[in-house]
Amino acid sequence: MSLPDRPGVLGQVARAFGVLGADILQVTVLEREAGRAVDDFTVSWPGGFAADELRDRLSVVPGVRIEGVWPTREVPGASPDYDLLGHVVTDAERAFVTLVDAVPDLVSAEWAVAVDSDTGAVVHGSWQAPGVEEMPDLTPLRPSAFSEGPLHLLSLPVKAAGLHLVVARSEGPAFHQVELDKVVRVVEIIALLAGAAEPRTLA
């Protein structure tokens, strides 16, 4: 949700959600720039609303714009990044398989794949990943957030394993820099934890 970055607006949004019968579970600030903020609200309410209806209901708050509405598997207050790191510590040889399987939950994504940096071949995918053999066009040299048609993507090299991590979602808005930075930090820590473990044990 994009909203004016001034005192009182967040309270107005909270009251609007309250009128809808929604319970705000978590708010994450994604960016603040040029007098506006983009905040990620995790909410729950009985029955729910269609995205268009939600936009109409929240339009009572001046300057508020809904960027996207999508379901999430994230549990507010939980620490999936810590859980991921814990699993890596207990089985470092499968560090990058564990990363691919768990990273979608860190950023409300749908799937992830590990791509061989040299060949573009997909060497491991999470359970919702498309059944394709290669993704050579989705592996820029630097960590990047971009969109390809209906897909919003994060892509970053995992140099310690000779891999490229691609994370995707089709529901909701494009990934923000905050989300990319989060995945970059997690990947850096996992590479350190994996240490001398064989990086090609993906299956």
Side-chain angles (χ1 to χ4, degrees):
M1 177 185 301
S2 174
L3 59 158
D5 189 12
R6 61 174 183 263
V9 174
L10 196 56
Q12 291 178 282
V13 171
R15 284 193 294 276
F17 274 123
V19 170
L20 293 172
D23 185 15
I24 299 175
L25 304 178
Q26 181 173 282
V27 180
T28 303
V29 178
L30 298 177
E31 62 182 59
R32 298 176 69 185
E33 187 176 357
R36 294 192 67 81
V38 177
D39 293 351
D40 186 9
F41 288 82
T42 303
V43 300
S44 70
W45 60 80
F49 287 88
D52 289 342
E53 186 176 3
L54 185 61
R55 288 185 179 91
D56 291 341
R57 297 288 191 102
L58 289 174
S59 66
V60 299
V61 182
V64 167
R65 197 169 59 242
I66 305 297
E67 300 288 341
V69 180
W70 67 99
T72 180
R73 297 192 302 272
E74 289 186 74
V75 179
S79 301
D81 43 351
Y82 294 152
D83 294 338
L84 167 57
L85 297 176
H87 288 300
V88 169
V89 167
T90 58
D91 190 359
E93 289 188 1
R94 290 180 54 81
F96 299 107
V97 171
T98 303
L99 169 66
V100 172
D101 290 341
V103 74
D105 285 342
L106 301 186
V107 287
S108 294
E110 294 163 24
W111 53 264
V113 293
V115 178
D116 186 289
S117 295
D118 294 327
T119 66
V122 174
V123 294
H124 182 70
S126 64
W127 72 278
Q128 286 187 305
V132 296
E133 295 184 359
E134 58 181 36
M135 290 189 174
D137 297 332
L138 302 182
T139 56
L141 295 177
R142 295 181 178 84
S144 303
F146 56 98
S147 297
E148 287 279 338
L151 281 180
H152 304 304
L153 300 155
L154 294 179
S155 182
L156 61 150
V158 187
K159 294 179 181 178
L163 300 171
H164 223 95
L165 177 67
V166 179
V167 186
R169 69 179 175 218
S170 58
E171 296 187 70
F175 288 104
H176 286 271
Q177 186 66 41
V178 169
E179 295 169 300
L180 177 60
D181 292 344
K182 180 178 184 177
V183 175
V184 168
R185 287 195 301 271
V186 168
V187 168
E188 288 173 348
I189 295 170
I190 286 176
L192 291 172
L193 292 175
E198 175 56 47
R200 299 291 180 172
T201 56
L202 298 175

